[in-house]
Amino acid sequence: MHEAGLLGRDRQVRVLHDLLGRLPAAGGAIALQGGPGVGKSAMLRAAAERARTAGWRLLEVAGGPDDTPFSGLRELLRPVLGTAECLPVGQGGILRSAFDGGSVPPPETLRVALAAFNLLMAAAAERPVVLIADDAQRLDGPTRDVLAFMARRVDDNPIVVLAALRTGHPLPGVPVLDMPALDEPSARRLLARHAATLPPAVRERILVEALGNPLALVELPTAWRPLGPPGSWTHLPVTSALETAFAADLGELPDRTRDALLVAAVDQVGDLAEILAAASVLAGRAVAVDVLDGAIAASLVRLDRTTLRFRHPVVRFAVLGAETQARRQAADAALAQVLTDDPDRRTWHRAQSVNGPDDELADELADAHASLLRQRGVVAAIWALERSAQLTTDSVTRGHRLLAAAEHAYGLGRIRLTHSLIEGAEHQQLSAPDRAKAWWLREISDAEPQPGPARTQVPPDIGELSACAPDLALDLLLSAALHVHRTAADPAARAEVVEAAERLTLTNDPRHLAALALTEPVRHGRELTDRLPSRETVWCRPDADGLRLLGMAAHEIGDPVRAVDLFGRAAPILREQGRLGLLAETLLAEAADLLLLGDWPRATQLTEEARRIVAETRQPAMVAALAGTDAIAAALRGQAVRAQELADTVAAWQRPDLVPTLRLARGLARLGEGRYTEAYEELRPLLERPPEGLRRQGFAALMPFVVAVDRGADRQEAVRMLAAAEEAARATPAPLLHVQLPYARAVLAPDVAAEELYLAALDQDLSRWPLVKARTEHAYGQWLRRHRQAARSRALLLSARAAFDLVGASDWAGHNAAQGADSPLPSIAELLSPQETLIARLAAEGLSNREIAERLYLSHRTVAAHLYRAFPKLGITSRSELAPLLKPSGEDGPTV
């Protein structure tokens, strides 16, 4: 615990180091203050080690149960009591009288304090003294007073006094050094040292419950053992060290107090009236609030008006661990008896209070799981369904409920728990729909997927289910759609999914929309666009699953603006519910769309959060998807080597669904390096498809492909290939396709038609598409320069550069490579005459025409004439536009 207690304590260690560094010239005192287990004792042990190494005299004491007056002082001074005869006359006798006890009243505390201080002074005359008092709040009162007396007087002597005490028990007049809990990064580092072999979900649970307490972070992993589903309803086992630190006085409390604490521990809500009512049922007699006085005095709990809270979660675990299973069940039964106005919580506690099957209770608990999901999170819903299955006598129903729990576990990212629940379900007599569901859940939640070709078999019985169980069929329909999407299944398999979708009646369900988008995004693009909710409707929808699936549909049909809005609404709900598996998928999909929309900083934030989740939950299947998103981001930023490394990682998985992402990343990387022919070859397969076979990666590849074509590929062949995109655009209103096609038309058009097409491309609403606008402006500006219209081109190129800089785009996106062999952006000196340049610079500084005229000895009309001629050359219409283009006089003008 020594090293653990010092982790993250840089400031405290520095203060302690400085204090000990005063010896032997001078001394000082400090009181380390904080809750139990925060590392106070570790700090004192570090100080003691330094004292021993330096050869200083070390005097130590620790507070304990002995409250005899001066008992702590006697223990502290025992090593130097043999020199008491050197004290002034009478003071040695005062100490002996204070320490002997007996029937004689002890001396006055002040006289004892003076004698003790003189004894320390005599010892310090030989060598420096370090005095350490741990758990000082538990020392007897007179010893605490003497300790404070000495601490206030040691500054000019080679004596250091160090005390550790609980918050709320100060030593009067002694400086305090607070010992707060560890911050999250330090807590994670400490936990990683002591819990590396524990499942990720357990580590996260310990991290949450420890609240940054070093002792808890070290001891909880040591004590952990699987007591059941690792959710918030099961208590973590505690060690004796934790019991001593957090709940040492628990065993001394009266029975009724322990009844109330036990009820509060199984309840977790903290309503004082409910706790006292249930404690009365448990005790068999009335329990009033005053029974909690001892627990409050022992710092086990605190009362906040009508709410009872444990001082730390470990106290709750200690209370639960000190009781038998029968007692815990009795407390749950007592709570269930008083919760008559809260049926879901009543059912929750009833389910924990019984042994053996109970079908009525099982049904109630299964029905309550949806509201428990909303109120207490997905882990509670999993427990409710699993516990419901345990209480169920019918094997078919039991298996159905275990599979429902497995679905939630998969959404949580808990792959091992998912497989455990599936295995439990497969030992039951499953119905045909549930057999199909178990098959697919195992497929999509494979705990250790390996690189290699994916299987292409579709889930069984989906056609039959569409008629007899449409709601369940929607689940399997979505699963089938995801399967054919992942495996790049042939058109026949896609047609089977679409046929099943068309036979379903619940066509407004998000699962139905997502299934169609995953299988045939072009053919059903217009229909799906009409059926997806508007942004106003989206913000009124609280359902995370529905929002996520609607976002998936928008993502697949090529509507990243709407997808980002939908994913952005789903993510906070998933995060709040702790559904980390689905959250990681949602964040990566949103990040991919944000990269296309030009919001790269936000995309990076989401990708980093997804990376942490994937590492914490150990979802191997997400590693390849994460690498694909990273590869595209690196390629866009011009990090070609990094993009290639990530693309190789993606390729090793041999997943058909990631091949388009792989090609897009490699094509963008080649484009950034100016290797246009290779970029063309990588991107061409994404567009060289029948119109109905185009997918979102093909839409995303359109502008980069055209850049590659414009730099040397066969333009006629490219025009023929783009005909498929034009035909797809007539079938689907996908914004990702439609905002880029005008650019493609303009770049590939003959000169006689190009300018009109460029103007049409820029006439679109591109407010959510800064990259599309910037690339179009850049291409149009370059076209104008090639046609000797430098003045008109300048404003477009400057606007494009500003947009690229704002986004953080790579060089290929507009600075160097995309300009190819074209000459650099013309400088101010090339566009304006020397006189016009000088006048324009002064005007940019804010001088009026008359002020400029006076400075240059010209008439103000001449100045106005020069500006009148300069504005068109610069592509601007007003003085306010000069400042961004020109620097103050004496500096070089910008070049692009």
Side-chain angles (χ1 to χ4, degrees), residues 609-625:
E609 182 179 359
R611 194 185 322 282
R612 290 194 298 271
I613 293 172
V614 170
E616 291 164 3
T617 57
R618 294 182 183 176
Q619 300 179 75
M622 292 297 296
V623 172

PDB file of all heavy atoms in Angstrom, residues 609-625:
ATOM      1  N   GLU A 609     -12.760   8.378 -27.695  1.00  0.00           N
ATOM      2  CA  GLU A 609     -13.653   7.766 -26.709  1.00  0.00           C
ATOM      3  C   GLU A 609     -13.945   6.319 -27.101  1.00  0.00           C
ATOM      4  O   GLU A 609     -13.936   5.417 -26.243  1.00  0.00           O
ATOM      5  CB  GLU A 609     -14.956   8.555 -26.602  1.00  0.00           C
ATOM      6  CG  GLU A 609     -15.899   7.978 -25.548  1.00  0.00           C
ATOM      7  CD  GLU A 609     -17.204   8.754 -25.405  1.00  0.00           C
ATOM      8  OE1 GLU A 609     -17.383   9.770 -26.111  1.00  0.00           O
ATOM      9  OE2 GLU A 609     -18.040   8.336 -24.591  1.00  0.00           O
ATOM     10  N   ALA A 610     -14.198   6.086 -28.386  1.00  0.00           N
ATOM     11  CA  ALA A 610     -14.433   4.720 -28.854  1.00  0.00           C
ATOM     12  C   ALA A 610     -13.219   3.837 -28.596  1.00  0.00           C
ATOM     13  O   ALA A 610     -13.343   2.664 -28.220  1.00  0.00           O
ATOM     14  CB  ALA A 610     -14.778   4.729 -30.343  1.00  0.00           C
ATOM     15  N   ARG A 611     -12.027   4.398 -28.792  1.00  0.00           N
ATOM     16  CA  ARG A 611     -10.803   3.628 -28.558  1.00  0.00           C
ATOM     17  C   ARG A 611     -10.712   3.187 -27.092  1.00  0.00           C
ATOM     18  O   ARG A 611     -10.336   2.051 -26.794  1.00  0.00           O
ATOM     19  CB  ARG A 611      -9.592   4.474 -28.942  1.00  0.00           C
ATOM     20  CG  ARG A 611      -8.286   3.673 -29.057  1.00  0.00           C
ATOM     21  CD  ARG A 611      -7.080   4.563 -29.327  1.00  0.00           C
ATOM     22  NE  ARG A 611      -7.370   5.661 -30.212  1.00  0.00           N
ATOM     23  CZ  ARG A 611      -7.482   5.557 -31.530  1.00  0.00           C
ATOM     24  NH1 ARG A 611      -7.328   4.391 -32.109  1.00  0.00           N
ATOM     25  NH2 ARG A 611      -7.757   6.618 -32.271  1.00  0.00           N
ATOM     26  N   ARG A 612     -11.033   4.087 -26.171  1.00  0.00           N
ATOM     27  CA  ARG A 612     -10.987   3.727 -24.745  1.00  0.00           C
ATOM     28  C   ARG A 612     -12.005   2.631 -24.432  1.00  0.00           C
ATOM     29  O   ARG A 612     -11.708   1.701 -23.673  1.00  0.00           O
ATOM     30  CB  ARG A 612     -11.263   4.969 -23.883  1.00  0.00           C
ATOM     31  CG  ARG A 612     -10.143   6.002 -23.909  1.00  0.00           C
ATOM     32  CD  ARG A 612     -10.317   7.019 -22.805  1.00  0.00           C
ATOM     33  NE  ARG A 612     -11.554   7.778 -22.927  1.00  0.00           N
ATOM     34  CZ  ARG A 612     -11.681   8.897 -23.609  1.00  0.00           C
ATOM     35  NH1 ARG A 612     -10.641   9.399 -24.246  1.00  0.00           N
ATOM     36  NH2 ARG A 612     -12.839   9.534 -23.665  1.00  0.00           N
ATOM     37  N   ILE A 613     -13.187   2.747 -25.019  1.00  0.00           N
ATOM     38  CA  ILE A 613     -14.227   1.749 -24.755  1.00  0.00           C
ATOM     39  C   ILE A 613     -13.801   0.386 -25.283  1.00  0.00           C
ATOM     40  O   ILE A 613     -13.955  -0.640 -24.608  1.00  0.00           O
ATOM     41  CB  ILE A 613     -15.556   2.187 -25.395  1.00  0.00           C
ATOM     42  CG1 ILE A 613     -16.098   3.441 -24.697  1.00  0.00           C
ATOM     43  CG2 ILE A 613     -16.589   1.069 -25.319  1.00  0.00           C
ATOM     44  CD1 ILE A 613     -17.294   4.047 -25.385  1.00  0.00           C
ATOM     45  N   VAL A 614     -13.263   0.360 -26.503  1.00  0.00           N
ATOM     46  CA  VAL A 614     -12.839  -0.910 -27.100  1.00  0.00           C
ATOM     47  C   VAL A 614     -11.749  -1.550 -26.244  1.00  0.00           C
ATOM     48  O   VAL A 614     -11.741  -2.768 -26.027  1.00  0.00           O
ATOM     49  CB  VAL A 614     -12.345  -0.680 -28.546  1.00  0.00           C
ATOM     50  CG1 VAL A 614     -11.684  -1.935 -29.099  1.00  0.00           C
ATOM     51  CG2 VAL A 614     -13.512  -0.279 -29.443  1.00  0.00           C
ATOM     52  N   ALA A 615     -10.830  -0.748 -25.729  1.00  0.00           N
ATOM     53  CA  ALA A 615      -9.762  -1.282 -24.881  1.00  0.00           C
ATOM     54  C   ALA A 615     -10.312  -1.797 -23.556  1.00  0.00           C
ATOM     55  O   ALA A 615      -9.895  -2.852 -23.060  1.00  0.00           O
ATOM     56  CB  ALA A 615      -8.711  -0.208 -24.632  1.00  0.00           C
ATOM     57  N   GLU A 616     -11.268  -1.060 -22.986  1.00  0.00           N
ATOM     58  CA  GLU A 616     -11.801  -1.429 -21.683  1.00  0.00           C
ATOM     59  C   GLU A 616     -12.702  -2.653 -21.761  1.00  0.00           C
ATOM     60  O   GLU A 616     -12.713  -3.486 -20.864  1.00  0.00           O
ATOM     61  CB  GLU A 616     -12.576  -0.250 -21.080  1.00  0.00           C
ATOM     62  CG  GLU A 616     -11.685   0.921 -20.680  1.00  0.00           C
ATOM     63  CD  GLU A 616     -12.478   2.196 -20.458  1.00  0.00           C
ATOM     64  OE1 GLU A 616     -13.718   2.140 -20.572  1.00  0.00           O
ATOM     65  OE2 GLU A 616     -11.868   3.234 -20.186  1.00  0.00           O
ATOM     66  N   THR A 617     -13.494  -2.748 -22.827  1.00  0.00           N
ATOM     67  CA  THR A 617     -14.462  -3.838 -22.935  1.00  0.00           C
ATOM     68  C   THR A 617     -13.933  -5.021 -23.719  1.00  0.00           C
ATOM     69  O   THR A 617     -14.595  -6.042 -23.827  1.00  0.00           O
ATOM     70  CB  THR A 617     -15.765  -3.342 -23.595  1.00  0.00           C
ATOM     71  OG1 THR A 617     -15.462  -2.788 -24.885  1.00  0.00           O
ATOM     72  CG2 THR A 617     -16.423  -2.279 -22.742  1.00  0.00           C
ATOM     73  N   ARG A 618     -12.736  -4.863 -24.306  1.00  0.00           N
ATOM     74  CA  ARG A 618     -12.109  -5.950 -25.054  1.00  0.00           C
ATOM     75  C   ARG A 618     -13.054  -6.492 -26.123  1.00  0.00           C
ATOM     76  O   ARG A 618     -13.488  -7.640 -26.067  1.00  0.00           O
ATOM     77  CB  ARG A 618     -11.664  -7.068 -24.104  1.00  0.00           C
ATOM     78  CG  ARG A 618     -10.558  -6.639 -23.151  1.00  0.00           C
ATOM     79  CD  ARG A 618     -10.111  -7.769 -22.254  1.00  0.00           C
ATOM     80  NE  ARG A 618      -9.095  -7.321 -21.301  1.00  0.00           N
ATOM     81  CZ  ARG A 618      -8.580  -8.075 -20.343  1.00  0.00           C
ATOM     82  NH1 ARG A 618      -8.980  -9.318 -20.210  1.00  0.00           N
ATOM     83  NH2 ARG A 618      -7.672  -7.604 -19.525  1.00  0.00           N
ATOM     84  N   GLN A 619     -13.356  -5.656 -27.091  1.00  0.00           N
ATOM     85  CA  GLN A 619     -14.207  -6.041 -28.208  1.00  0.00           C
ATOM     86  C   GLN A 619     -13.328  -6.195 -29.449  1.00  0.00           C
ATOM     87  O   GLN A 619     -13.145  -5.235 -30.201  1.00  0.00           O
ATOM     88  CB  GLN A 619     -15.274  -4.979 -28.461  1.00  0.00           C
ATOM     89  CG  GLN A 619     -16.196  -4.733 -27.291  1.00  0.00           C
ATOM     90  CD  GLN A 619     -17.199  -3.653 -27.601  1.00  0.00           C
ATOM     91  OE1 GLN A 619     -18.161  -3.864 -28.346  1.00  0.00           O
ATOM     92  NE2 GLN A 619     -16.986  -2.487 -27.052  1.00  0.00           N
ATOM     93  N   PRO A 620     -12.781  -7.381 -29.675  1.00  0.00           N
ATOM     94  CA  PRO A 620     -11.872  -7.541 -30.811  1.00  0.00           C
ATOM     95  C   PRO A 620     -12.508  -7.185 -32.143  1.00  0.00           C
ATOM     96  O   PRO A 620     -11.837  -6.687 -33.043  1.00  0.00           O
ATOM     97  CB  PRO A 620     -11.508  -9.039 -30.743  1.00  0.00           C
ATOM     98  CG  PRO A 620     -11.760  -9.443 -29.333  1.00  0.00           C
ATOM     99  CD  PRO A 620     -12.929  -8.614 -28.892  1.00  0.00           C
ATOM    100  N   ALA A 621     -13.809  -7.474 -32.298  1.00  0.00           N
ATOM    101  CA  ALA A 621     -14.465  -7.207 -33.570  1.00  0.00           C
ATOM    102  C   ALA A 621     -14.464  -5.723 -33.914  1.00  0.00           C
ATOM    103  O   ALA A 621     -14.588  -5.352 -35.087  1.00  0.00           O
ATOM    104  CB  ALA A 621     -15.900  -7.731 -33.542  1.00  0.00           C
ATOM    105  N   MET A 622     -14.322  -4.853 -32.900  1.00  0.00           N
ATOM    106  CA  MET A 622     -14.349  -3.424 -33.144  1.00  0.00           C
ATOM    107  C   MET A 622     -12.965  -2.883 -33.509  1.00  0.00           C
ATOM    108  O   MET A 622     -12.848  -1.749 -33.960  1.00  0.00           O
ATOM    109  CB  MET A 622     -14.857  -2.686 -31.900  1.00  0.00           C
ATOM    110  CG  MET A 622     -16.325  -2.937 -31.579  1.00  0.00           C
ATOM    111  SD  MET A 622     -17.404  -2.330 -32.884  1.00  0.00           S
ATOM    112  CE  MET A 622     -17.054  -0.580 -32.790  1.00  0.00           C
ATOM    113  N   VAL A 623     -11.931  -3.696 -33.317  1.00  0.00           N
ATOM    114  CA  VAL A 623     -10.568  -3.216 -33.576  1.00  0.00           C
ATOM    115  C   VAL A 623     -10.396  -2.848 -35.037  1.00  0.00           C
ATOM    116  O   VAL A 623      -9.822  -1.805 -35.383  1.00  0.00           O
ATOM    117  CB  VAL A 623      -9.539  -4.284 -33.148  1.00  0.00           C
ATOM    118  CG1 VAL A 623      -8.135  -3.879 -33.581  1.00  0.00           C
ATOM    119  CG2 VAL A 623      -9.590  -4.492 -31.642  1.00  0.00           C
ATOM    120  N   ALA A 624     -10.899  -3.709 -35.938  1.00  0.00           N
ATOM    121  CA  ALA A 624     -10.742  -3.450 -37.367  1.00  0.00           C
ATOM    122  C   ALA A 624     -11.525  -2.214 -37.786  1.00  0.00           C
ATOM    123  O   ALA A 624     -11.039  -1.392 -38.577  1.00  0.00           O
ATOM    124  CB  ALA A 624     -11.203  -4.663 -38.175  1.00  0.00           C
ATOM    125  N   ALA A 625     -12.755  -2.053 -37.270  1.00  0.00           N
ATOM    126  CA  ALA A 625     -13.558  -0.877 -37.608  1.00  0.00           C
ATOM    127  C   ALA A 625     -12.885   0.399 -37.118  1.00  0.00           C
ATOM    128  O   ALA A 625     -12.873   1.422 -37.818  1.00  0.00           O
ATOM    129  CB  ALA A 625     -14.958  -1.010 -37.014  1.00  0.00           C
TER     130      ALA A 625
END
